Structure formats: C-alpha cells, structure tokens
Amino acid sequence: GAVVSQHPSRVICKSGTSVKIECRSLDFQATTMFWYRQFPKQSLMLMATSNEGSKATYEQGVEKDKFLINHASLTLSTLTVTSAHPEDSSFYICSARLGVTLGSPLHFGNGTRLTVT
Amino acid sequence: AQKITQTQPGMFVQEKEAVTLDCTYDTSDPSYGLFWYKQPSSGEMIFLIYQGSYDQQNATEGRYSLNFQKARKSANLVISASQLGDSAMYFCAMREGDTDKLIFGTGTRLQVFP
C-alpha cells in the first residue's frame, strides 16, 4: 500500500489565487521530504527539500516566495503555490525515504495535477 | 556534474518477453545510489528497484533486475516476462552522494503488446 499520501490529486484554480498541497508520510516519520515538479512529457525536477522544524532548501531557479514550503511535523509537509499563474500549471509530487539507511526506498506520493486558469 | 541519461524514448516488447531499458550515469562521487521508477498514465511514481554503488551483487526484485556495470557507469533495468500492465514510463534516477535528492533521466516509454 501507499506509504506517502498526497492531497489533493487534482486542483483547478483561478489565476491569482493560492493553492496548498499536502504530503504525508504514512506510519513513518520523515524529517526530510522532497518536492518535485513535472511538466507534460518531461522528467521530474527537484524544486526543494523540506526540512522538519527548519527552513526549506530551494534549488536554483525556484522562487521561494512563490512556492512556500512548511514542514511543521514529522509526517506532514505542505507546498503552497502563491498567486498562481497559468505557467504554474504542472504536476507536483513529493517524496520521502522510508527507512533509516540511504539504501532505503524513496517513495513518492500520487502527485497533484495543478491547473491554473 | 551529476547526470542520468536514458537514450531510449520509447520501447516496444511483446507480452511474456524480456526487455532491457538502458540507463547511464555520470558522477564523481564514490557513494551514490541508483533507482528505477515506473510511472503509469495516472501519474504516481512507483518504486521498482535500488542499487547502491557499493553493492557487490546486482539488485533483483521479482521480475525486475538491475544490470549494474560500474566501470561502464550503466544501470540497465531488465524486466522479465513482460505483462500488459508493465506499459508505462520508466525513469532511472540517481541519489546525489549521501543525500536523498534524486536526479532523474528523461524516461523511457515502454509499451507491451499482446
């Protein structure tokens, strides 16, 4: 069964509004979670590393004020797309490691398809 | 710079046959990990198999095996006895050093036909 839960799976919003996406680790604690973005027919690109209890680390070129990340507990990270615009339409997906060793699988949520009209 | 290359944009295989999906990587870090994920049309990323850079033996998980050739920097995925449900995008990914950040290849679309 799923070990990482992501919600919502789909969201349509109007330009200028904000959207929050939740990523939960099920039955395990994740001090670190990762947020990726995938454009149609393209690969996944890492956006940021979400750290429990501290600030997120953003990859180069990702606007931290645009994509707000909060990791308030050991099982929940949220990504808020602020003042969304049509170019923010994409597939957003989070991941977390189940297990304590580096060789443990990195599991992904089911993703959120965001459409900004 | 670390990089993952998947040179096959698409592959076809007949049901019950085996298929190999290619993946090469480039890194100067002695410690790394290689993953394969399956992405059906629904979008979720399904973990298939993992190979650590220090692992002596090739990883296997059911019908999936990873042909790890360290000197050639390749980590090909072999799917045996293909099933129609194996039709999906397949991504090779590399863990950067001792972090959990993944770098993904561009993917290979596998289509299994009856």
Side-chain angles (χ1 to χ4, degrees):
Chain A
V3 296
V4 177
S5 172
Q6 195 169 333
H7 178 81
S9 57
R10 289 180 180 271
V11 58
I12 300 173
C13 70
K14 291 187 176 181
S15 188
T17 61
S18 295
V19 173
K20 181 184 284 188
I21 302 169
E22 293 186 347
C23 179
R24 293 181 185 274
S25 58
L26 304 178
D27 300 325
F28 73 99
Q29 295 179 336
T31 55
T32 305
M33 292 184 179
F34 300 88
W35 287 97
Y36 293 82
R37 181 174 183 176
Q38 184 180 30
F39 289 106
K41 300 187 187 304
Q42 294 189 25
S43 189
L44 280 73
M45 297 295 293
L46 179 65
M47 298 175 65
T49 302
S50 174
N51 304 299
E52 188 269 334
S54 65
K55 290 183 179 180
T57 307
Y58 291 82
E59 295 300 302
Q60 192 172 10
V62 178
E63 300 175 61
K64 62 180 181 180
D65 295 329
K66 174 76 168 173
F67 299 100
L68 299 179
I69 291 172
N70 185 277
H71 197 145
S73 78
L74 287 169
T75 59
L76 174 64
S77 174
T78 59
L79 169 69
T80 301
V81 183
T82 62
S83 186
H85 288 94
E87 57 266 29
D88 298 324
S89 298
S90 189
F91 187 68
Y92 295 87
I93 192 165
C94 65
S95 78
R97 170 152 52 94
L98 171 61
V100 297
T101 64
L102 280 174
S104 302
L106 286 159
H107 289 278
F108 284 80
N110 285 348
T112 297
R113 194 164 301 280
L114 170 64
T115 303
V116 185
T117 60
Chain B
Q2 296 175 319
K3 188 178 179 181
I4 289 279
T5 303
Q6 293 180 256
T7 57
Q8 305 156 318
M11 288 285 285
F12 287 89
V13 65
Q14 191 166 29
E15 199 177 7
K16 300 180 185 178
E17 297 293 311
V19 63
T20 297
L21 306 184
D22 295 343
C23 173
T24 59
Y25 60 92
D26 189 19
T27 180
S28 58
D29 199 316
S31 175
Y32 53 90
L34 297 154
F35 296 79
W36 276 94
Y37 287 89
K38 172 184 178 181
Q39 187 178 43
S41 56
S42 53
E44 71 264 36
M45 294 289 284
I46 302 169
F47 166 77
L48 297 178
I49 199 166
Y50 170 81
Q51 180 87 40
S53 58
Y54 296 119
D55 294 342
Q56 295 296 313
Q57 294 194 336
N58 287 348
T60 60
E61 291 283 352
R63 294 187 298 113
Y64 304 108
S65 61
L66 201 151
N67 185 1
F68 182 46
Q69 297 189 36
K70 198 169 183 177
R72 297 179 61 183
K73 294 191 175 180
S74 73
N76 299 340
L77 176 70
V78 180
I79 305 175
S80 63
S82 297
Q83 302 172 356
L84 295 177
D86 293 335
S87 295
M89 280 291 288
Y90 288 80
F91 289 97
C92 180
M94 179 167 63
R95 171 172 54 76
E96 288 188 7
D98 291 337
T99 73
D100 285 328
K101 295 165 64 172
L102 295 182
I103 302 167
F104 282 84
T106 51
T108 296
R109 180 169 297 283
L110 176 67
Q111 291 186 267
V112 182
F113 59 94

